[in-house]
Amino acid sequence: MRILVAIILLFVITGAFADNTGERTDGQRPPTATDVIVGLYTFGRFQQALLESADLKGNAEVKNLAALRADEAVRRDKALKEIQVAIGAEPHVGKTMAGTSLAEPDDSEGPAYVRTFFAAQIPEYETAIGLLERYLKAPDNAALADFAREQLPLLRSQVRDAERTMADK
């Protein structure tokens, strides 16, 4: 009997821990302005890491695209900074693992690197797009909501381009 109770308690504790891991579902609260700012800063750092990686391993096409995306990230971050200051948000953006798979030295170069370069972008774009879409369901700041509405079509277009290029490579 004690063993049965112990097993049941183990399942209950494990279930409670799994529910408390911070993973969001559709039933939970929408992201706040601060959550969105942090998420987009993280996405910008990912794009900067792509540039660093492309400079080391990429061909001219990949280097040019990475530079363009990094420039876009800088412009986006400047606009976000203005919104952040205006609303008084204090996001805590720590170090992220985004882009590390491309920045680490490995055996992929040439065509294999190009595929890896585009494949790494798709989930990062989808994360940023999903964040903005969830935010726009219940925005808490008009300026950030306008910014999100401007960014969504651009990000969607860029992820489609990455998917098409990935399919071609």
Side-chain angles (χ1 to χ4, degrees):
M1 183 68 174
R2 289 182 186 170
I3 294 175
L4 181 61
V5 171
I7 291 172
I8 292 172
L9 284 175
L10 180 64
F11 283 124
V12 170
I13 291 170
T14 305
F17 179 73
D19 289 343
N20 200 19
T21 59
E23 186 172 309
R24 294 198 177 180
T25 62
D26 290 335
Q28 293 183 344
R29 71 169 178 81
T32 64
T34 301
D35 296 334
V36 171
I37 291 170
V38 168
L40 291 177
Y41 281 156
T42 301
F43 180 63
R45 283 200 318 267
F46 168 78
Q47 290 183 307
Q48 292 292 333
L50 281 178
L51 176 60
E52 293 169 15
S53 175
D55 283 343
L56 296 173
K57 299 180 183 181
N59 60 24
E61 174 191 8
V62 168
K63 288 178 183 180
N64 290 336
L65 180 62
L68 176 66
R69 296 296 183 251
D71 288 343
E72 291 167 353
V74 168
R75 285 191 299 276
R76 185 177 49 247
D77 287 354
K78 285 181 183 177
L80 279 173
K81 184 66 175 176
E82 291 175 13
I83 294 170
Q84 175 189 339
V85 169
I87 65 176
E90 289 294 327
H92 298 285
V93 182
K95 290 186 177 183
T96 181
M97 297 302 290
T100 56
S101 62
L102 290 175
E104 293 174 359
D106 62 11
D107 294 334
S108 67
E109 290 188 18
Y113 174 77
V114 172
R115 282 189 298 278
T116 303
F117 175 84
F118 286 103
Q121 292 180 58
I122 294 168
E124 296 294 330
Y125 271 101
E126 289 172 348
T127 298
I129 290 167
L131 177 67
L132 294 177
E133 288 172 339
R134 286 191 323 272
Y135 179 72
L136 288 174
K137 289 180 182 176
D140 60 355
N141 180 275
L144 187 58
D146 290 342
F147 179 79
R149 284 185 201 96
E150 291 172 11
Q151 290 297 307
L152 269 174
L154 176 66
L155 295 176
R156 286 179 181 138
S157 171
Q158 290 173 354
V159 76
R160 280 192 303 270
D161 291 345
E163 290 168 340
R164 270 193 305 271
T165 304
M166 178 68 190
D168 291 343
K169 301 290 178 187

